[in-house]
Amino acid sequence: MEKRLKKLRNQMNKDGIEAILITRPPNRRYISGFTGSAGTVLVTQTEMFLFVDTRYTVQAKSQAPNFKTIEYKRHPDRIPTIAKECNHLGVTEVAFEAEAVSFAEYQALQKGLAGLQLKPVNQYVDKLRMIKDESEIATIRQAVAIVDRAFAQILKEIKPGMTEVQVATRLEFLMREYGATSSSFDMIIASGKRSALPHGVASDKVIEKGDLITLDFGALYQGYISDMTRTIMIGKPSEKQKQIYDIVLEAEMRGIQSIRPGISGVEVDAASRDYITACGYGNYFGHGLGHGIGLEVHEGPTLSTQSEDVLAPGMVVTVEPGIYIPELGGVRIEDDVLVTESGYEVLTQSKKELIIID
């Protein structure tokens, strides 16, 4: 936590920020270590506070021992309690996370922190989180390993006659059995024509011979997530299904192989997208190539045609091209990739060649 606080304070110093309120849960956890569902962090160049109600006092003191825990009794007491500490410190301006504060909350801050200048900032801590430290990378590796292991097992169990929901339920059980807290998001299990739905959450559809099945799932482990997609085949694939699979696989490999420090998210996206387009399927790949993962399943940087991000060592991103053809089906292949000093490391270890279950 000390290194993270140092990064935050260095950025605050550059931007001339006296104090910042951190309310977004993943950012609050990143800076303080506190995992409770409610609380506010206040950081200055010399002090750090964690404001919580009585439900979380003991937890806050345990998880954030370097922060001064300030308890308030009721929610309406929170802002006056923060104001009291700001006045005691002589703070004149307080930054707040604009994307995490509702208009009603902003009005409450204006009223409760009267006399202090409020400064909205966007993605302030989020940008610091894009580059993972060694402990974060190690935890993500464990989350990825859980998914790899669960996938290997579910391949032994999937068969025609099962429903998509049954597969999803079994995967959830396996990930928890192997150490996950839960799934990191509502997993996507989409078979047959439904595999053309990029976000086809598991349904009661029965899996049949001739179906492509897209499995997009991840594990939540010690607060960090993994995210993997594999598309498998029940029975012998048609020529069209095999062609689409091979194109997506090549596109994914091209995207991964382009990853290195200094390359833009637009360029990585193009490495995959241009190949799919050249093969005649550009209109069937409508989403971005990938995104960062960490405390959230979707965080910076982004790999897309609109990305403004540049990759740097320590970032962990997904690479997930897809082709989705209505009434036929779709294919997506996704790996988690670490940006290294010299290039990349693919964290996901599950095989990517087309798996046929007969």
Side-chain angles (χ1 to χ4, degrees), residues 129-148 219 221-227 292-296 299 314-317 336-338 347-348:
R129 285 171 40 211
M130 286 199 291
I131 297 179
K132 273 61 181 177
D133 58 36
E134 291 182 3
S135 66
E136 291 179 290
I137 293 170
T139 305
I140 292 172
R141 286 184 190 277
Q142 290 298 314
V144 172
I146 288 170
V147 163
D148 280 331
Y221 176 75
Q222 294 185 3
Y224 286 81
I225 69 97
S226 55
D227 186 2
I293 59 171
L295 288 168
E296 296 180 280
E299 58 183 54
M315 292 179 173
V316 183
V317 298
D336 297 334
V337 183
L338 170 66
L347 303 181
T348 311

Side-chain angles (χ1 to χ4, degrees), residues 73-93:
K73 302 298 182 184
R74 303 173 304 125
H75 185 71
D77 299 329
R78 181 176 65 94
I79 294 176
T81 304
I82 293 170
K84 180 180 177 181
E85 293 300 330
C86 288
N87 291 330
H88 178 73
L89 293 171
V91 170
T92 60
E93 182 182 69

Side-chain angles (χ1 to χ4, degrees), residues 235-263:
K236 184 178 179 181
S238 68
E239 288 299 317
K240 188 78 166 181
Q241 288 171 326
K242 183 67 167 59
Q243 178 194 48
I244 292 170
Y245 192 95
D246 290 344
I247 291 170
V248 172
L249 178 58
E250 177 65 23
E252 201 234 8
M253 292 172 63
R254 290 185 180 213
I256 290 173
Q257 291 166 1
S258 74
I259 290 175
R260 63 183 184 278
I263 194 171

Side-chain angles (χ1 to χ4, degrees), residues 258-311:
S258 74
I259 290 175
R260 63 183 184 278
I263 194 171
S264 71
V266 170
E267 291 174 299
V268 179
D269 180 274
S272 290
R273 191 175 304 279
D274 290 353
Y275 179 74
I276 291 177
T277 299
C279 292
Y281 291 97
N283 291 333
Y284 299 99
F285 176 27
H287 57 75
L289 181 66
H291 53 83
I293 59 171
L295 288 168
E296 296 180 280
V297 70
H298 291 98
E299 58 183 54
T302 59
L303 309 178
S304 73
T305 58
Q306 304 299 317
S307 176
E308 297 179 355
D309 299 318
V310 175
L311 300 192

